[in-house]
Amino acid sequence: MTALYGPTDAIDRARALRDAGASGVFTFEGPHDVFTPLTLASTVGGLDLMTNVAIAFPRNPIHLAHQAIDHQILTGGRFTLGLGTQIRTQIEKRFGADFDRPVARMTELVAALRAIFATWSTGERLDFRGDYYRHTLMTPTFTPRGNDYGPPPIYVGALGPRLTRAVAEHADGLLVMPFGSKRFLHEVTMAGVDAGLAASGRSREDLAVVPEIIVSVESDSNPGHAATRQLLAFYGSTPAYRPVLETHGWGDLQPDLHALSKQGRWAEMGALIDDEVLHTIAACGTPADIARHIKDRVAGVSDRICIYQPGPIAVDSLAQIVDALRT
């Protein structure tokens, strides 16, 4: 799967990505609404659609449930609801919502969604009472009709060990954050997955693990992978991503990037991402190089990945990546 970036070209881009061999498209919570491009892309057909991710806490479970079921109907059962927590600063200062106890809050939100879906599927009384969400009324007037596909799966993005474990215990899938590496995936993320699965009595076959990997094809708009270095610097400036850097002995890079971000010196941050960091976290080079990196990184973990592009790459390059991944 790979990304749609906004609503204006969503239909044409979704069609081009499908024809290039992508199995699906996803959206992220950026400068545009996360659901609108998928609504448009659903008219293309033949693609799986996913929010990757919809920021959960500013949204009410009923709102999320309606959007998820509508897209499940539009796609004929090919929609996945991907949720994320974001970080405290963004939730509290940008969205004006609560962030306390994010792991418990996300776990409860997943349970609330399941209760709502169950009521819509079976007609049983809605009676969900939690610490953060309370849903005790649902009448036929507000029950969706025309869904013959069942509720969509619920995936959750996670990086830290507590949320990773909770996702493996309670959700249908784990969306592995794009700022990562082979070592972090296999040694840290999958340890949390195994702990969560053991707690729930499930096996790895019961949980979809979908790594998202930043890819970078050098081009006139990305000379020397400059855009990718800038993206990695942005991620790396956030304290939440320091564990990835620390896994490789680069923990001191995070406060340096953070300090520059606080000073608004965004243009200088990319220069701190050297080639070793770049090629460890991102899959860079020719389409064949990128495919080799991805295969090596996810071997034994997943046979499905999300390709994260710092900016839209040429469709023919994407097609070559997809072809190389399939060989």
Side-chain angles (χ1 to χ4, degrees):
M1 301 183 75
T2 192
L4 295 179
Y5 291 93
T8 55
D9 66 344
I11 294 174
D12 290 342
R13 180 163 172 80
R15 185 178 293 112
L17 293 173
R18 181 197 61 188
D19 294 346
S23 63
V25 293
F26 62 84
T27 51
F28 58 93
E29 195 90 60
H32 298 284
D33 176 71
V34 74
F35 287 97
T36 303
L38 298 179
T39 306
L40 295 168
S42 69
T43 64
V44 173
L47 288 168
D48 297 335
L49 305 185
M50 178 168 65
T51 53
N52 187 17
V53 291
I55 305 306
F57 300 156
R59 294 179 165 94
N60 182 278
I62 288 287
H63 290 135
L64 283 169
H66 276 293
Q67 289 172 310
I69 290 297
D70 284 350
H71 284 83
Q72 184 77 327
I73 293 170
L74 287 172
T75 60
R78 300 185 68 167
F79 177 73
T80 296
L81 179 63
L83 302 173
T85 61
Q86 251 292 356
I87 60 174
R88 180 181 296 274
T89 299
Q90 293 288 329
I91 295 300
E92 293 182 345
K93 294 184 178 181
R94 182 159 67 100
F95 289 103
D98 293 331
F99 189 77
D100 290 340
R101 299 181 65 205
V103 175
R105 190 183 296 267
M106 179 63 81
T107 300
E108 187 175 296
L109 189 147
V110 171
L113 284 167
R114 290 226 169 97
I116 296 163
F117 289 153
T119 291
W120 287 344
S121 296
T122 68
E124 67 186 52
R125 181 183 177 187
L126 179 59
D127 188 19
F128 185 87
R129 303 167 191 265
D131 295 327
Y132 309 100
Y133 305 103
R134 185 172 182 269
H135 304 283
T136 59
L137 175 66
M138 183 58 60
T139 63
T141 301
F142 302 110
T143 298
R145 295 171 177 81
N147 178 28
D148 299 324
Y149 313 101
I154 303 169
Y155 291 9
V156 178
L159 178 76
R162 291 184 61 242
L163 183 56
T164 298
R165 174 177 173 143
V167 172
E169 188 172 354
H170 298 285
D172 299 307
L174 170 69
L175 296 170
V176 181
M177 294 292 95
F179 190 87
S181 68
K182 177 183 178 180
R183 182 184 301 174
F184 192 83
L185 173 62
H186 288 261
E187 296 180 8
V188 181
T189 300
M190 294 313 295
V193 165
D194 289 340
L197 291 174
S200 63
R202 298 196 293 171
S203 68
R204 282 201 182 181
E205 289 71 28
D206 297 317
L207 180 80
V209 177
V210 183
E212 185 174 359
I213 299 174
I214 297 167
V215 304
S216 184
V217 178
E218 187 165 350
S219 65
D220 291 341
S221 61
N222 187 30
H225 306 286
T228 308
R229 294 179 198 270
Q230 202 69 33
L231 177 66
L232 297 187
F234 168 75
Y235 273 116
S237 69
T238 305
Y241 290 103
R242 182 166 181 162
V244 176
L245 297 170
E246 287 179 334
T247 299
H248 296 273
W250 304 327
D252 291 343
L253 178 60
Q254 189 277 321
D256 291 343
L257 292 168
H258 185 68
L260 289 175
S261 72
K262 286 294 186 181
Q263 297 167 34
R265 296 162 63 184
W266 300 101
E268 300 174 40
M269 291 166 59
L272 298 186
I273 304 299
D274 64 24
D275 285 350
E276 185 180 13
V277 175
L278 174 72
H279 288 276
T280 298
I281 296 175
C284 304
T286 67
D289 294 333
I290 290 169
R292 280 193 293 270
H293 176 117
I294 293 172
K295 287 181 178 180
D296 178 63
R297 185 149 151 187
V298 306
V301 171
S302 179
D303 59 3
R304 186 166 212 189
I305 54 99
C306 288
I307 293 176
Y308 184 159
Q309 307 164 45
I313 64 175
V315 172
D316 60 340
S317 294
L318 179 65
Q320 292 176 53
I321 294 170
V322 172
D323 287 343
L325 286 170
R326 289 175 172 166
T327 58

